[in-house]
Amino acid sequence: MSQTIEHIVFFKVKDNTSSSKINSMVDGLNSLISINNVLHLSAGPIYKTRSTSSSSSSSFNFTHMLHGRYKNKDDLQNYLGHPAHINVVNETIELYDDIMLIDYVADLDESLVVPPSGSVMRVSLLKLKEGLNESEKTEVLNVVGGVKGHFGFISQFSFGENLAPEKTNGFSIASLAIVPGLSELEVLDLNEEVVNEQEEKLKDFLESVIVVDYVVPPAKSG
């Protein structure tokens, strides 16, 4: 196991944006995989979103997601400051109504850094209730970290504290589960016993939860 930086960006594309501009935007984002020291990067449309809070759900109306992985914070900063990244941002920023950013440090097996095409990422964002002490936060992290043990088909799993929760409306803990495909995602949703058990353990600590599902697109050839 080694530490890896999970970098997740949600985009809300303006309703009147043409499909050609959206395709060009997605292609531009995916081209950033060529930047040095980017372990993995993919971008595409969000498959599904749900929330435990009606207010959170109504405000979380993002349409696309980017997921990247880096060995350390320096590599992430190199990516963010790279001319290619800045050019893509400048070329596409006018297409967005909103952007939301999640970064966290995760323990991840380096041999599994590249999620395969067609696999499904489930990103869970947790907003804690105000006034929790450190032991209560640790308990939440322990419960979140135990999710993988309930589902043998989760091929990769990471979680951690958001490095800048003030930029994400207070969602301070995130997790990322990767399953082989949509059929496994359905099994994940149907296992009510585990879901209810997790909710019962966390109900006194959480204000709201947002869950985002994203299908990893095929890698661009050439």
Side-chain angles (χ1 to χ4, degrees):
M1 300 291 285
S2 62
Q3 286 196 333
T4 302
I5 304 296
E6 299 278 29
H7 174 66
I8 302 168
V9 186
F10 299 110
F11 306 89
K12 169 63 173 75
V13 176
K14 293 178 180 176
D15 292 338
N16 60 351
T17 305
S18 67
S19 58
S20 62
K21 285 186 177 181
I22 292 176
N23 291 337
S24 178
M25 172 202 81
V26 171
D27 287 345
L29 292 172
N30 279 304
S31 72
L32 299 177
I33 185 63
S34 63
I35 295 176
N36 287 341
N37 299 321
V38 176
L39 299 178
H40 160 75
L41 186 144
S42 74
I46 288 173
Y47 176 70
K48 185 173 60 177
T49 301
R50 73 174 187 274
S51 172
T52 61
S53 167
S54 57
S55 60
S56 294
S57 181
S58 61
S59 61
F60 194 94
N61 52 2
F62 293 86
T63 58
H64 291 74
M65 185 181 114
L66 177 146
H67 172 242
R69 282 178 172 162
Y70 311 83
K71 285 185 177 179
N72 50 53
K73 294 178 183 179
D74 287 341
D75 285 354
L76 173 59
Q77 289 305 315
N78 174 71
Y79 161 81
L80 295 174
H82 194 281
H85 177 261
I86 294 172
N87 286 341
V88 169
V89 170
N90 289 338
E91 290 171 359
T92 60
I93 192 68
E94 66 178 7
L95 303 180
Y96 309 137
D97 273 334
D98 199 6
I99 296 176
M100 182 174 175
L101 177 69
I102 307 286
D103 292 321
Y104 64 92
V105 181
D107 290 324
L108 194 69
D109 185 339
E110 279 200 26
S111 66
L112 298 175
V113 295
V114 180
S117 300
S119 60
V120 181
M121 296 183 178
R122 167 156 290 181
V123 181
S124 300
L125 309 176
L126 282 61
K127 180 184 287 188
L128 303 180
K129 291 182 177 179
E130 293 185 8
L132 295 188
N133 57 43
E134 288 304 314
S135 64
E136 290 170 323
K137 292 180 183 178
T138 299
E139 185 171 348
V140 172
L141 287 167
N142 288 338
V143 172
V144 171
V147 168
K148 187 178 189 300
H150 293 285
F151 302 98
F153 53 79
I154 294 180
S155 58
Q156 301 179 43
F157 186 81
S158 71
F159 65 100
E161 291 193 68
N162 189 11
L163 298 176
E166 67 276 3
K167 296 181 180 179
T168 54
N169 300 319
F171 286 91
S172 59
I173 293 176
S175 69
L176 173 63
I178 300 178
V179 299
L182 292 174
S183 59
E184 288 82 4
L185 184 71
E186 184 177 353
V187 173
L188 203 65
D189 287 333
L190 290 175
N191 199 321
E192 295 182 0
E193 182 179 349
V194 173
V195 172
N196 292 338
E197 179 185 341
Q198 300 298 110
E199 290 180 351
E200 182 65 24
K201 289 179 178 178
L202 295 175
K203 66 178 183 179
D204 293 333
F205 305 127
L206 300 183
E207 180 178 326
S208 59
V209 178
I210 292 174
V211 178
V212 181
D213 296 327
Y214 163 79
V215 180
V216 179
K220 293 289 183 179
S221 59

